[in-house]
mmCIF file of all heavy atoms in Angstrom:
data_model
loop_
_atom_site.group_PDB
_atom_site.id
_atom_site.type_symbol
_atom_site.label_atom_id
_atom_site.label_comp_id
_atom_site.label_asym_id
_atom_site.label_seq_id
_atom_site.Cartn_x
_atom_site.Cartn_y
_atom_site.Cartn_z
ATOM 1 N N ALA A 63 30.814 3.293 -42.840
ATOM 2 C CA ALA A 63 30.564 3.225 -44.283
ATOM 3 C C ALA A 63 29.629 2.083 -44.658
ATOM 4 O O ALA A 63 28.807 2.222 -45.576
ATOM 5 C CB ALA A 63 31.888 3.090 -45.032
ATOM 6 N N GLU A 64 29.695 0.955 -43.945
ATOM 7 C CA GLU A 64 28.844 -0.190 -44.300
ATOM 8 C C GLU A 64 27.369 0.037 -43.959
ATOM 9 O O GLU A 64 26.504 -0.692 -44.425
ATOM 10 C CB GLU A 64 29.345 -1.490 -43.655
ATOM 11 C CG GLU A 64 29.339 -1.510 -42.149
ATOM 12 C CD GLU A 64 30.625 -0.997 -41.498
ATOM 13 O OE1 GLU A 64 31.469 -0.382 -42.191
ATOM 14 O OE2 GLU A 64 30.770 -1.213 -40.282
ATOM 15 N N TRP A 65 27.052 1.048 -43.186
ATOM 16 C CA TRP A 65 25.656 1.357 -42.869
ATOM 17 C C TRP A 65 25.011 2.224 -43.940
ATOM 18 O O TRP A 65 23.798 2.209 -44.098
ATOM 19 C CB TRP A 65 25.549 2.091 -41.538
ATOM 20 C CG TRP A 65 25.950 1.316 -40.331
ATOM 21 C CD1 TRP A 65 26.531 0.081 -40.274
ATOM 22 C CD2 TRP A 65 25.820 1.746 -38.980
ATOM 23 N NE1 TRP A 65 26.763 -0.278 -38.979
ATOM 24 C CE2 TRP A 65 26.337 0.731 -38.156
ATOM 25 C CE3 TRP A 65 25.325 2.899 -38.392
ATOM 26 C CZ2 TRP A 65 26.364 0.830 -36.775
ATOM 27 C CZ3 TRP A 65 25.346 2.993 -37.014
ATOM 28 C CH2 TRP A 65 25.858 1.959 -36.211
ATOM 29 N N VAL A 66 25.794 3.008 -44.653
ATOM 30 C CA VAL A 66 25.253 3.995 -45.601
ATOM 31 C C VAL A 66 24.344 3.354 -46.654
ATOM 32 O O VAL A 66 23.256 3.873 -46.912
ATOM 33 C CB VAL A 66 26.384 4.823 -46.242
ATOM 34 C CG1 VAL A 66 25.838 5.772 -47.302
ATOM 35 C CG2 VAL A 66 27.143 5.595 -45.158
ATOM 36 N N PRO A 67 24.709 2.203 -47.248
ATOM 37 C CA PRO A 67 23.800 1.607 -48.247
ATOM 38 C C PRO A 67 22.461 1.150 -47.661
ATOM 39 O O PRO A 67 21.502 0.919 -48.398
ATOM 40 C CB PRO A 67 24.582 0.396 -48.775
ATOM 41 C CG PRO A 67 25.998 0.641 -48.404
ATOM 42 C CD PRO A 67 25.975 1.488 -47.169
ATOM 43 N N LEU A 68 22.366 1.025 -46.355
ATOM 44 C CA LEU A 68 21.124 0.596 -45.714
ATOM 45 C C LEU A 68 20.153 1.761 -45.486
ATOM 46 O O LEU A 68 19.004 1.545 -45.127
ATOM 47 C CB LEU A 68 21.426 -0.090 -44.382
ATOM 48 C CG LEU A 68 22.292 -1.351 -44.488
ATOM 49 C CD1 LEU A 68 22.688 -1.836 -43.110
ATOM 50 C CD2 LEU A 68 21.563 -2.433 -45.270
ATOM 51 N N LEU A 69 20.628 2.984 -45.690
ATOM 52 C CA LEU A 69 19.788 4.163 -45.509
ATOM 53 C C LEU A 69 19.092 4.529 -46.814
ATOM 54 O O LEU A 69 19.520 4.139 -47.895
ATOM 55 C CB LEU A 69 20.633 5.349 -45.032
ATOM 56 C CG LEU A 69 21.361 5.163 -43.704
ATOM 57 C CD1 LEU A 69 22.213 6.379 -43.407
ATOM 58 C CD2 LEU A 69 20.380 4.894 -42.579
ATOM 59 N N SER A 70 18.040 5.318 -46.705
ATOM 60 C CA SER A 70 17.285 5.742 -47.880
ATOM 61 C C SER A 70 18.064 6.727 -48.741
ATOM 62 O O SER A 70 17.860 6.792 -49.946
ATOM 63 C CB SER A 70 15.978 6.403 -47.448
ATOM 64 O OG SER A 70 15.231 5.537 -46.647
ATOM 65 N N HIS A 71 18.932 7.526 -48.109
ATOM 66 C CA HIS A 71 19.698 8.548 -48.816
ATOM 67 C C HIS A 71 21.142 8.516 -48.331
ATOM 68 O O HIS A 71 21.405 8.203 -47.169
ATOM 69 C CB HIS A 71 19.112 9.944 -48.565
ATOM 70 C CG HIS A 71 17.655 10.036 -48.909
ATOM 71 N ND1 HIS A 71 17.200 10.113 -50.196
ATOM 72 C CD2 HIS A 71 16.550 10.042 -48.127
ATOM 73 C CE1 HIS A 71 15.886 10.167 -50.195
ATOM 74 N NE2 HIS A 71 15.466 10.120 -48.943
ATOM 75 N N MET A 107 16.276 4.711 -38.380
ATOM 76 C CA MET A 107 17.141 3.699 -38.991
ATOM 77 C C MET A 107 18.524 3.711 -38.345
ATOM 78 O O MET A 107 19.085 2.661 -38.047
ATOM 79 C CB MET A 107 17.255 3.931 -40.497
ATOM 80 C CG MET A 107 16.015 3.597 -41.261
ATOM 81 S SD MET A 107 16.264 3.954 -43.016
ATOM 82 C CE MET A 107 15.078 2.832 -43.731
ATOM 83 N N LEU A 111 20.181 0.700 -36.389
ATOM 84 C CA LEU A 111 21.479 0.166 -36.820
ATOM 85 C C LEU A 111 22.501 0.206 -35.695
ATOM 86 O O LEU A 111 23.295 -0.719 -35.529
ATOM 87 C CB LEU A 111 21.998 0.934 -38.041
ATOM 88 C CG LEU A 111 21.321 0.602 -39.361
ATOM 89 C CD1 LEU A 111 21.714 1.618 -40.424
ATOM 90 C CD2 LEU A 111 21.654 -0.815 -39.796
ATOM 91 N N ARG A 115 23.686 -3.398 -35.255
ATOM 92 C CA ARG A 115 25.047 -3.599 -35.768
ATOM 93 C C ARG A 115 26.111 -3.121 -34.782
ATOM 94 O O ARG A 115 27.134 -3.759 -34.603
ATOM 95 C CB ARG A 115 25.214 -2.877 -37.102
ATOM 96 C CG ARG A 115 24.440 -3.493 -38.248
ATOM 97 C CD ARG A 115 25.326 -4.473 -38.974
ATOM 98 N NE ARG A 115 24.640 -5.263 -39.969
ATOM 99 C CZ ARG A 115 24.749 -5.076 -41.281
ATOM 100 N NH1 ARG A 115 25.466 -4.083 -41.753
ATOM 101 N NH2 ARG A 115 24.112 -5.874 -42.107
ATOM 102 N N GLU A 137 10.940 0.435 -46.940
ATOM 103 C CA GLU A 137 12.267 1.026 -46.724
ATOM 104 C C GLU A 137 13.260 -0.018 -46.198
ATOM 105 O O GLU A 137 14.436 -0.010 -46.534
ATOM 106 C CB GLU A 137 12.188 2.176 -45.723
ATOM 107 C CG GLU A 137 11.463 3.396 -46.206
ATOM 108 C CD GLU A 137 12.318 4.274 -47.103
ATOM 109 O OE1 GLU A 137 13.560 4.164 -47.067
ATOM 110 O OE2 GLU A 137 11.725 5.065 -47.855
ATOM 111 N N LEU A 138 12.776 -0.906 -45.342
ATOM 112 C CA LEU A 138 13.664 -1.871 -44.692
ATOM 113 C C LEU A 138 13.946 -3.102 -45.543
ATOM 114 O O LEU A 138 14.659 -4.011 -45.109
ATOM 115 C CB LEU A 138 13.083 -2.274 -43.334
ATOM 116 C CG LEU A 138 12.997 -1.133 -42.328
ATOM 117 C CD1 LEU A 138 12.351 -1.594 -41.035
ATOM 118 C CD2 LEU A 138 14.356 -0.527 -42.050
ATOM 119 N N ARG A 140 15.951 -3.224 -47.954
ATOM 120 C CA ARG A 140 17.420 -3.250 -48.093
ATOM 121 C C ARG A 140 18.069 -3.984 -46.933
ATOM 122 O O ARG A 140 19.071 -4.654 -47.083
ATOM 123 C CB ARG A 140 17.971 -1.825 -48.153
ATOM 124 C CG ARG A 140 17.831 -1.151 -49.471
ATOM 125 C CD ARG A 140 18.540 0.208 -49.467
ATOM 126 N NE ARG A 140 17.881 1.174 -48.598
ATOM 127 C CZ ARG A 140 16.787 1.853 -48.925
ATOM 128 N NH1 ARG A 140 16.227 1.659 -50.090
ATOM 129 N NH2 ARG A 140 16.255 2.716 -48.098
ATOM 130 N N TRP A 141 17.502 -3.838 -45.739
ATOM 131 C CA TRP A 141 18.057 -4.497 -44.560
ATOM 132 C C TRP A 141 17.938 -6.011 -44.699
ATOM 133 O O TRP A 141 18.863 -6.740 -44.398
ATOM 134 C CB TRP A 141 17.336 -4.029 -43.305
ATOM 135 C CG TRP A 141 17.560 -2.590 -42.969
ATOM 136 C CD1 TRP A 141 17.776 -1.558 -43.828
ATOM 137 C CD2 TRP A 141 17.600 -2.040 -41.669
ATOM 138 N NE1 TRP A 141 17.925 -0.389 -43.146
ATOM 139 C CE2 TRP A 141 17.807 -0.663 -41.806
ATOM 140 C CE3 TRP A 141 17.436 -2.565 -40.402
ATOM 141 C CZ2 TRP A 141 17.893 0.197 -40.726
ATOM 142 C CZ3 TRP A 141 17.516 -1.720 -39.320
ATOM 143 C CH2 TRP A 141 17.744 -0.358 -39.486
ATOM 144 N N ARG A 142 16.778 -6.467 -45.144
ATOM 145 C CA ARG A 142 16.589 -7.912 -45.310
ATOM 146 C C ARG A 142 17.546 -8.442 -46.358
ATOM 147 O O ARG A 142 18.136 -9.507 -46.193
ATOM 148 C CB ARG A 142 15.130 -8.201 -45.660
ATOM 149 C CG ARG A 142 14.195 -7.995 -44.472
ATOM 150 C CD ARG A 142 12.776 -8.444 -44.778
ATOM 151 N NE ARG A 142 12.091 -7.541 -45.699
ATOM 152 C CZ ARG A 142 11.458 -6.427 -45.314
ATOM 153 N NH1 ARG A 142 11.418 -6.077 -44.054
ATOM 154 N NH2 ARG A 142 10.859 -5.676 -46.213
ATOM 155 N N GLU A 143 17.731 -7.689 -47.453
ATOM 156 C CA GLU A 143 18.647 -8.097 -48.512
ATOM 157 C C GLU A 143 20.094 -8.123 -48.030
ATOM 158 O O GLU A 143 20.916 -8.871 -48.552
ATOM 159 C CB GLU A 143 18.504 -7.164 -49.712
ATOM 160 C CG GLU A 143 17.168 -7.314 -50.420
ATOM 161 C CD GLU A 143 16.885 -6.206 -51.420
ATOM 162 O OE1 GLU A 143 17.717 -5.272 -51.564
ATOM 163 O OE2 GLU A 143 15.807 -6.264 -52.055
ATOM 164 N N ALA A 144 20.408 -7.327 -47.007
ATOM 165 C CA ALA A 144 21.767 -7.274 -46.456
ATOM 166 C C ALA A 144 21.975 -8.300 -45.336
ATOM 167 O O ALA A 144 23.008 -8.293 -44.683
ATOM 168 C CB ALA A 144 22.068 -5.871 -45.938
ATOM 169 N N GLY A 145 20.995 -9.159 -45.100
ATOM 170 C CA GLY A 145 21.171 -10.211 -44.114
ATOM 171 C C GLY A 145 20.536 -9.951 -42.759
ATOM 172 O O GLY A 145 20.673 -10.766 -41.857
ATOM 173 N N LEU A 146 19.864 -8.836 -42.599
ATOM 174 C CA LEU A 146 19.151 -8.582 -41.344
ATOM 175 C C LEU A 146 17.769 -9.227 -41.476
ATOM 176 O O LEU A 146 16.750 -8.574 -41.485
ATOM 177 C CB LEU A 146 19.043 -7.079 -41.067
ATOM 178 C CG LEU A 146 20.369 -6.389 -40.804
ATOM 179 C CD1 LEU A 146 20.194 -4.881 -40.766
ATOM 180 C CD2 LEU A 146 20.971 -6.874 -39.505
#
Side-chain angles (χ1 to χ4, degrees):
E64 63 271 13
W65 294 7
V66 176
L68 299 172
L69 300 177
S70 303
H71 305 284
M107 288 179 155
L111 284 168
R115 290 267 172 105
E137 291 280 340
L138 296 177
R140 281 186 292 281
W141 293 32
R142 288 187 288 276
E143 292 168 358
L146 294 171

